[in-house]
Amino acid sequence: MHAPAIWKPSLLPTCVILDRAPASFPEALSFNIEKLGSITADYVDGTDHHIVLESRRGHQRLWMHNCDCETKTSFTIPADANFSLRLAATQRFYRHLRGLKQRRLPPGISPTRYQRLRLIQLLQLLDAENEGMRRRDMAFQILYPKHDVPGNIMWKASHERRRMYRMLGDAHQLCASGYLTLLQGGTD
């Protein structure tokens, strides 16, 4: 099992930012992170602590800035173009802290089933290309595994070939910079 990547909070609006609460807020929450779920990734950089928490309620990425679980904490939500996603992620984590029922995930926090399957295919195409697989084999092993492989002439004029090249182009675009859009809740 691979540990999930730790992303820069500025690029990932679903990362919840926690900071030390001002002293004038004695009722602010402190919590035991181990009781909230299992930590699948943990990275400490000076006073910053990045955590990926996995529980039956799903996974949550946390950036604990200048604080730890024993201190009274507050949430920081940057007022940027991704404010609504940041707010939704923070509310989701707060509900988790309080043991409240989770609501449906807002769009952008997690890909839909269709998006997830398409992303998997895009990654499989990139892997196959890196391994030197022929384009026709990529199409019929990854995109059309239940179809018969056509001959050369049929392949040249097929919609399967056009779709494979279109998907491979999308995979290269995603690899180059499209993943940033994906991290910020985009669906393309």
Side-chain angles (χ1 to χ4, degrees), residues 26-41:
E27 299 298 317
L29 289 176
S30 61
F31 55 90
N32 183 340
I33 197 82
E34 283 84 20
K35 290 185 179 179
L36 295 175
S38 62
I39 296 173
T40 56

Side-chain angles (χ1 to χ4, degrees), residues 70-91:
E70 287 77 39
T71 61
K72 302 290 185 180
T73 56
S74 63
F75 298 109
T76 300
I77 306 173
D80 61 5
N82 296 305
F83 178 78
S84 60
L85 273 179
R86 293 184 191 283
L87 179 62
T90 303
Q91 288 173 325

Side-chain angles (χ1 to χ4, degrees), residues 77-178:
I77 306 173
D80 61 5
N82 296 305
F83 178 78
S84 60
L85 273 179
R86 293 184 191 283
L87 179 62
T90 303
Q91 288 173 325
R92 182 171 177 257
F93 181 67
Y94 179 77
R95 294 182 72 74
H96 184 107
L97 277 177
R98 305 295 284 185
L100 302 172
K101 184 178 176 188
Q102 289 293 351
R103 295 185 180 141
R104 209 171 188 176
L105 289 176
I109 286 202
S110 183
T112 65
R113 183 175 181 274
Y114 169 77
Q115 290 168 333
R116 189 174 289 117
L117 292 174
R118 184 171 186 279
L119 289 169
I120 289 169
Q121 284 183 325
L122 294 177
L123 291 173
Q124 288 172 334
L125 287 172
L126 285 174
D127 288 344
E129 183 181 52
N130 287 338
E131 292 170 5
M133 187 181 284
R134 293 181 331 153
R135 303 292 196 253
R136 186 183 332 177
D137 294 335
M138 290 165 59
F140 288 95
Q141 287 181 24
I142 298 169
L143 303 178
Y144 301 100
K146 295 181 182 178
H147 290 206
D148 292 330
V149 179
N152 287 342
I153 295 173
M154 293 293 289
W155 165 246
K156 290 279 188 187
S158 69
H159 74 278
E160 290 92 347
R161 180 176 184 262
R162 288 189 299 276
R163 179 172 181 241
M164 195 283 307
Y165 275 97
R166 187 175 57 251
M167 295 269 298
L168 190 57
D170 290 349
H172 284 286
Q173 192 277 329
L174 181 69
C175 184
S177 64

